[in-house]
Amino acid sequence: MITDAPAPAAGHTARAPKRRPGARPPVRCAVLLVLVLLLLLACALLGPQAAAAPIPGSPLDAYDRRVPYDPGVHRIARLAALLAYALMVATVLLGVVLRLRYFQRVVNRATVHGAHTTLALSALIFGAVHGSSFLYQPIWRIGARELVVPFVGGEQRIPVGFGILGLELAVVVACALWLQRRLGYHRWLRVHQCAYAAFALIWLHIFTVHPEPRHLNAVAIGVAGGAGLCLLAFLIRVLPSPTRLRRRAFTHLSETVR
């Protein structure tokens, strides 16, 4: 409870009010910085990978190395990856809708929450199908250990590690939902916000593992469009709204006058 303070003596200026917790979100700023660093790392990886010919793990690479290659497994992995990415983008966007007060007035929160959870679970399932399908593609040299532990081996160790780490982080975010009561709302919310980092890691995996998303085609447009929408949603959550800024300025002015 705020009590009235005595007026300052003549010739003295009122002290600036103490900064409230959350006035500058350091956690969100740190997440944004990590995303920028990961993007720079991805750009650094594109140089040596673009010069490599053929693409590691591609049918041409398997032909040159006299290793069997299954086109059916490739189609399953590709379809599962596209579906997982689309579902993941929809999950992130619905998560932002749940947090914005404007949409809470026009949509049913329970319905959106159910759709958000269902899409997230579906994205995890298709992501697991995409990863496990490479167990049946000999050219990738991926076993159970390489499929669980990031950056330990196999073809394209770093790009594949991005995808494994992002998927595992997304699984942690999903499992935290069942521990929400034990963690408390604020701790659970911090864990849940790691979904942005999981999306960034998976996007890095898509962007670096194959040159297709880096050329002008339908897949590249879809990947870039989904990433742009999620980045816009992230910035909406990070940057304070004009209403919140006006309210904060009015509160600080009131405390200074007091």
Side-chain angles (χ1 to χ4, degrees):
M1 183 175 180
I2 301 176
T3 57
D4 292 337
H12 294 275
T13 57
R15 292 183 179 180
K18 296 182 178 179
R19 187 180 299 276
R20 293 187 169 188
R24 291 181 62 185
V27 176
R28 296 175 182 176
C29 294
V31 171
L32 184 59
L33 179 61
V34 169
L35 296 181
V36 173
L37 292 177
L38 289 176
L39 180 59
L40 295 177
L41 179 60
C43 295
L45 291 173
L46 293 182
Q49 182 175 342
I55 302 170
S58 64
L60 183 57
D61 185 30
Y63 176 80
D64 291 343
R65 297 164 59 178
R66 303 296 190 269
V67 178
Y69 190 89
D70 192 337
V73 173
H74 170 75
R75 294 189 183 95
I76 293 175
R78 176 185 171 85
L79 179 60
L82 294 176
L83 290 175
Y85 183 77
L87 292 169
M88 186 170 53
V89 170
T91 302
V92 173
L93 296 180
L94 284 182
V96 174
V97 169
L98 283 171
R99 299 290 298 176
L100 295 180
R101 295 183 179 180
Y102 171 77
F103 290 103
Q104 291 178 5
R105 302 191 191 100
V106 297
V107 298
N108 189 340
R109 180 177 175 83
T111 303
V112 177
H113 184 273
H116 174 73
T117 306
T118 303
L119 291 175
L121 181 59
S122 301
L124 292 177
I125 292 174
F126 281 108
V129 171
H130 168 73
S132 60
S133 63
F134 287 93
L135 294 171
Y136 306 96
Q137 199 67 275
I139 186 63
W140 282 91
R141 298 181 298 170
I142 292 180
R145 184 177 70 94
E146 291 79 10
L147 197 62
V148 175
V149 183
F151 313 110
V152 296
E155 294 292 331
Q156 303 196 44
R157 178 169 55 91
I158 295 180
V160 172
F162 284 147
I164 295 174
L165 190 60
L167 182 61
E168 290 177 350
L169 184 58
V171 171
V172 171
V173 172
C175 292
L177 181 63
W178 285 273
L179 301 175
Q180 183 176 358
R181 292 185 177 180
R182 294 185 179 181
L183 294 175
Y185 176 77
H186 293 288
R187 292 180 180 177
W188 168 83
L189 184 60
R190 294 293 174 263
V191 176
H192 198 73
Q193 288 174 344
C194 292
Y196 294 110
F199 177 86
L201 289 168
I202 293 175
W203 181 85
L204 282 175
H205 165 72
I206 297 173
F207 193 71
T208 58
V209 77
H210 198 275
E212 184 180 14
R214 302 192 297 270
H215 294 80
L216 186 58
N217 51 60
V219 173
I221 294 174
V223 171
L229 289 174
C230 291
L231 179 60
L232 178 61
F234 176 76
L235 293 177
I236 290 174
R237 294 291 301 125
V238 170
L239 300 177
S241 63
T243 303
R244 189 183 304 175
L245 290 175
R246 288 194 298 267
R247 186 183 307 167
R248 186 181 302 166
F250 177 77
T251 304
H252 289 180
L253 181 61
S254 300
E255 291 180 353
T256 304
V257 173
R258 288 173 183 270

